[in-house]
Amino acid sequence: MSDLALPGAGEASATTAAALSQLPAVDRLLAHPRLAAALAAYGQPLVKRAVQAELAECRDRLRAGGTAPALEVLAAAVEARVRRAVAPRLRAVFNLTGTVIHTNLGRALLADEAIDAVAAAMRGYAALEYDLEAGGRGDRDDVVAGLLRDLTGAEAATVVNNNAAAVLLTLKALAAKREVLISRGELIEIGGAFRMPDVMAAAGCKLVEVGTTNRTHAADFENAFGSRTALVVKAHASNYAITGFTAAVPETELARIAHAHGVPFVIDLGSGALIDLSAYGLPREPLPQDALAAGADVVTFSGDKLLGGPQAGIIVGRADLIARIKRDPLKRALRVSKLTLAALEATLRIYASAHRLQERLPTLALLMRPQADIRAACERTLPAFARFAGPDFAARCEPCASQIGSGALPVERLPSCAVVLAPVAAKGSGRALARLARRLRDLPIPVIGRVQDNALWLDLRCLRDEAALLRQLAMEGE
Ligand SMILES: *Cc1c(COP(=O)(O)O)cnc(C)c1O
């Protein structure tokens, strides 16, 4: 048998050798006019690597019995390879999930004023830690501390990398090696491994759970105090709600109890809006100024949730406590960059002006977008989505409910509207939906929706560049 097989194998290898010899040399492919633009933009080393990789892959294909592609085809493949190599990993996407402050998609959209401030801070030197009055070293927190004091009524303020860092630093600075009282109903887990018990452990604090999951009373706190108690903490139930037979101790009461025992009262607000959102027709979220007025000594909240600014953790409160927090060596490790401070300062200035907030803060504008406006966008884009999805899907507009996201107001929903793409055939509908979701994600600007009730829902609340969406749907549509 083997002597029968041998001539065949010999023939195959002869054809392969012939095909391999037809492949162009690296330099010849590199000199193809089609690659001139890529060479000019990205330089010879990167394009050459793409050429070598393409040729290597091509050789493998030929050995497996393929035929040599034309030079033009090879050049096009190299060009595509270069495009993939230089495409940013942090891709722009269309967020059609219906969640406005979406942690996985980058949370708040920043105001133009904040974006301009960041660009300016990147291009040149800035008085980041420089006291221009005295002509010497300053404190980077001073960039925003005054604004934060004015906006929240706090005596002092400091800023760190995010709210998780704010909670960690506050706990460590004020209660390391000692006990922290917190209600059992507030041992929160925020997505992405922020779990209150773990943060307490990381800060070196001993967690003392008070009350029960659904009911905690003032007496429970009174009884939990001991000689090693350093802090009473309240965490805002950002991403869940306990309903039914519940009881929590009001903030004013917690503050009174803490102060009677001579320990500070800290509130982790999580989202922390700086303005009363109910004035804008949105559900009301607790404000840092309310928490301080209720007697909290320190309040922490995020910069990139309802505030609509950059990722940051803001700590406001009593001057002596903020000073202790700032003195902790961990503060140096968690401090923010000039880019964050530039964006945060510009965002806070918008709040301080109290002028045309919804025009200037895009996150607020998205939250406030009227349902009729979103429905109109759905009706305008429905035909393009239907064409893109093809005849295997039925397309319709349907009212739906957007979420604020990032733990803010977990049970509140914003009336919205979606383009719904539902598979026509029941059989294999799961796979068809996954394929359609994949095709939308493969677009130049990936489109991210959500699968629900055996259909793909594209909530258009957060669609801003409708023309760009329509262009790419038309390009890729059938
Ligand atoms: C979101 C949140 C955090 C974490 O804040 P990041 O800014 O994401 O680090 C902590 N606590 C609460 C109550 C939150 O809602």
Side-chain angles (χ1 to χ4, degrees):
M1 290 305 259
S2 64
D3 53 356
L4 271 180
L6 269 175
E11 259 166 51
S13 64
T15 341
T16 302
L20 284 170
S21 71
Q22 278 166 26
L23 283 181
V26 170
D27 286 343
R28 173 140 174 265
L29 184 49
L30 201 52
H32 192 280
R34 182 145 193 172
L35 298 178
L39 276 168
Y42 309 114
Q44 211 243 20
L46 190 144
V47 181
K48 190 170 178 176
R49 275 200 299 281
V51 165
Q52 286 164 332
E54 186 57 34
L55 286 174
E57 205 180 284
C58 204
R59 267 181 235 111
D60 289 344
R61 278 200 303 272
L62 293 186
R63 286 191 196 101
T67 50
L71 191 63
E72 183 63 30
V73 174
L74 274 173
V78 171
E79 203 186 14
R81 223 174 241 279
V82 169
R83 251 202 319 275
R84 281 198 302 276
V86 299
R89 288 287 295 152
L90 190 57
R91 295 266 299 277
V93 299
F94 283 109
N95 170 15
L96 306 189
T97 62
T99 300
V100 178
I101 307 170
H102 197 300
T103 296
N104 306 140
L105 301 180
R107 289 198 184 162
L109 303 187
L110 269 66
D112 284 340
E113 284 144 275
I115 295 164
D116 292 345
V118 173
M122 285 195 290
R123 283 208 188 87
Y125 295 105
L128 174 64
E129 280 184 355
Y130 193 84
D131 184 340
L132 291 168
E133 283 297 318
R137 191 188 154 82
D139 178 343
R140 70 177 61 203
D141 282 340
D142 288 348
V143 174
V144 291
L147 281 162
L148 286 169
R149 280 198 304 270
D150 290 348
L151 286 164
T152 66
E155 287 174 11
T158 182
V159 181
V160 287
N161 182 55
N162 54 24
N163 187 42
V167 175
L168 175 70
L169 176 63
T170 300
L171 289 172
K172 178 175 181 287
L174 303 185
K177 300 200 181 81
R178 291 192 294 155
E179 293 179 354
V180 177
L181 311 189
I182 183 168
S183 167
R184 280 208 167 82
E186 294 168 8
L187 293 173
I188 57 173
E189 171 177 324
I190 312 289
F194 177 97
R195 298 178 123 192
M196 194 51 97
D198 298 341
V199 177
M200 293 253 185
C205 304
K206 183 169 185 306
L207 165 71
V208 177
E209 301 176 23
V210 179
T212 64
T213 303
N214 56 327
R215 290 173 72 82
T216 302
H217 307 281
D220 297 327
F221 272 96
E222 291 284 6
N223 294 334
F225 271 92
S227 62
R228 306 197 49 76
T229 307
L231 218 54
V232 173
V233 170
K234 182 176 177 65
H236 183 53
S238 290
N239 49 3
Y240 65 100
I242 297 182
T243 58
F245 186 56
T246 65
V249 186
E251 288 170 7
T252 47
E253 181 75 358
L254 271 181
R256 191 192 57 71
I257 297 169
H259 296 158
H261 287 85
V263 307
F265 173 41
V266 171
I267 300 184
D268 170 19
L269 265 192
S271 203
L274 279 179
I275 48 164
D276 178 0
L277 294 175
S278 64
Y280 291 83
L282 294 167
R284 190 184 157 86
E285 174 83 353
L287 313 179
Q289 44 271 48
D290 296 346
L292 292 166
D297 301 289
V298 173
V299 177
T300 70
F301 54 101
S302 288
D304 58 350
K305 291 184 181 172
L306 282 172
L307 190 68
Q311 179 188 304
I314 298 165
I315 312 175
V316 297
R318 247 168 60 192
D320 60 323
L321 299 176
I322 298 296
R324 261 166 74 190
I325 289 167
K326 289 179 66 149
R327 273 199 307 274
D328 193 287
L330 194 57
K331 166 65 164 67
R332 173 63 178 77
L334 300 175
R335 76 179 187 189
V336 292
S337 77
K338 65 173 177 177
L339 308 186
T340 301
L341 281 169
L344 186 59
E345 182 190 9
T347 307
L348 293 174
R349 279 199 194 287
I350 295 174
Y351 284 101
S353 76
H355 180 58
R356 301 195 351 250
L357 295 190
Q358 75 216 61
E359 278 167 62
R360 296 161 78 192
L361 295 165
T363 304
L364 184 61
L366 290 178
L367 290 170
M368 290 180 60
R369 193 167 175 195
Q371 187 179 28
D373 192 28
I374 305 168
R375 169 170 274 285
C378 287
E379 278 159 8
R380 282 192 304 270
T381 54
L382 184 70
F385 275 118
R387 252 194 321 276
F388 179 87
D392 294 345
F393 288 86
R396 63 181 199 273
C397 295
E398 180 131 340
C400 69
S402 305
Q403 293 191 43
I404 294 175
S406 271
L409 315 150
V411 287
E412 306 281 358
R413 292 286 187 274
L414 309 171
S416 187
C417 191
V419 169
V420 181
L421 301 169
V424 176
K427 191 158 178 288
S429 63
R431 251 173 306 136
L433 273 175
R435 241 189 343 262
L436 179 62
R438 167 94 231 178
R439 283 182 58 219
L440 284 164
R441 285 201 307 278
D442 281 342
L443 289 168
I445 305 172
V447 173
I448 320 282
R450 68 170 196 271
V451 173
Q452 183 190 312
D453 304 332
N454 209 28
L456 187 64
W457 291 66
L458 304 159
D459 180 334
L460 298 199
R461 172 177 296 279
C462 300
L463 175 61
R464 302 200 317 155
D465 194 346
E466 194 177 308
L469 175 75
L470 288 171
R471 258 197 314 277
Q472 66 170 6
L473 287 178
M475 250 159 41
E476 308 273 333
E478 279 137 352

